[in-house]
Amino acid sequence: MDYTAPQWDASALLVIDVQRDFLDEGAAPIAGTAQVLDELRLLVDGFRAAGRLVVHVVRLYTPGDSDVDLPRRAAVEGGLNLVAPGSPGSQLVPAVLGDRYADLDSAALLAGKPQPLGAEELALFKPRWSAFHRTGLEELLRERGVTTVVVAGCNLPNCPRATLFDASERDFRTVLVTDAVSQAGPERLADLVGIGVGLATSEEVLAGLPSSL
């Protein structure tokens, strides 16, 4: 039995850190993120059509807060305004969400509550790199019978990579969408294959989904 092969009819899409501050004109642009927005929109639409869960995972840094990952802690404690709660730069990207776009409810998200965006679609705050660290993500996935986690977004060396490692060690089957994530490269992809992460294009993922577009 192949315990790593994706089970598309029990999959969920995690869109990581696709927020305005990380686009080309944002406060902390991540190269390549704006260039994968079209693929991200296709994935989101496909998972919606298949009735599968979509989770938009976000960062929120409250200026002056010390509960921040170490590389940015000093800057945020000093008042850095990056994906600050309620700021335009913290918001999701309309081009990805389409008619389900809504401003983030920062207070609820920071309190650990998922924000519904539509049927089987929500936003979720994570305080560190991994979408599983100090969040209710695992419970959300288990409740819906999800066995396969599909990851896309911004940017592979950090949050998508940490999320994939944590998903794998929780015995989820894992897939990285290679043309819908920024900062991917051969060495980084090879590292993920080594822990059983499947690599697929957005076209391949959509072809596997039941009733996809």
Side-chain angles (χ1 to χ4, degrees):
M1 181 180 293
D2 186 350
Y3 289 104
T4 65
Q7 296 174 326
W8 300 114
D9 59 352
S11 63
L13 175 65
L14 307 185
V15 181
I16 309 290
D17 292 353
V18 181
Q19 296 165 267
R20 295 179 187 175
D21 267 348
F22 301 129
L23 300 183
D24 290 348
E25 303 302 320
I30 303 296
T33 302
Q35 286 68 44
V36 300
L37 296 183
D38 288 345
E39 286 77 12
L40 287 167
R41 176 61 182 269
L42 289 173
L43 285 170
V44 168
D45 285 347
F47 273 76
R48 289 172 179 172
R52 302 307 309 159
L53 179 67
V54 178
V55 182
H56 301 271
V57 187
V58 300
R59 302 300 292 269
L60 294 170
Y61 291 140
T62 302
D65 191 6
S66 61
D67 186 12
V68 174
D69 44 273
L70 293 177
R72 287 179 174 153
R73 182 170 298 175
V76 173
E77 285 179 335
L80 175 68
N81 190 357
L82 175 65
V83 289
S87 70
S90 72
Q91 301 301 326
L92 297 170
V93 178
V96 174
L97 272 78
D99 60 7
R100 291 192 184 177
Y101 177 81
D103 286 343
L104 293 177
D105 184 345
S106 299
L109 290 167
L110 288 168
K113 299 176 182 177
Q115 177 182 346
L117 298 172
E120 291 302 296
E121 188 165 356
L122 53 90
L124 186 71
F125 163 72
K126 60 177 174 55
R128 294 294 188 275
W129 310 115
S130 171
F132 289 92
H133 181 74
R134 285 169 46 193
T135 74
L137 178 60
E138 181 173 3
E139 291 75 15
L140 285 169
L141 299 177
R142 302 289 187 202
E143 287 170 0
R144 289 164 170 80
V146 171
T147 65
T148 300
V149 172
V150 180
V151 172
C154 171
N155 79 80
L156 181 57
N158 296 346
C159 300
R161 179 177 180 273
T163 296
L164 286 162
F165 270 78
D166 277 3
S168 178
E169 68 182 18
R170 287 165 171 77
D171 292 337
F172 288 104
R173 298 161 189 253
T174 53
V175 175
L176 175 71
V177 191
T178 55
D179 60 349
V181 66
S182 52
Q183 300 290 301
E187 185 174 356
R188 290 163 179 164
L189 297 178
D191 287 343
L192 293 173
V193 170
I195 64 162
V197 176
L199 306 180
T201 65
S202 53
E203 182 178 359
E204 290 168 337
V205 171
L206 293 174
L209 287 175
S211 304
S212 65
L213 294 179

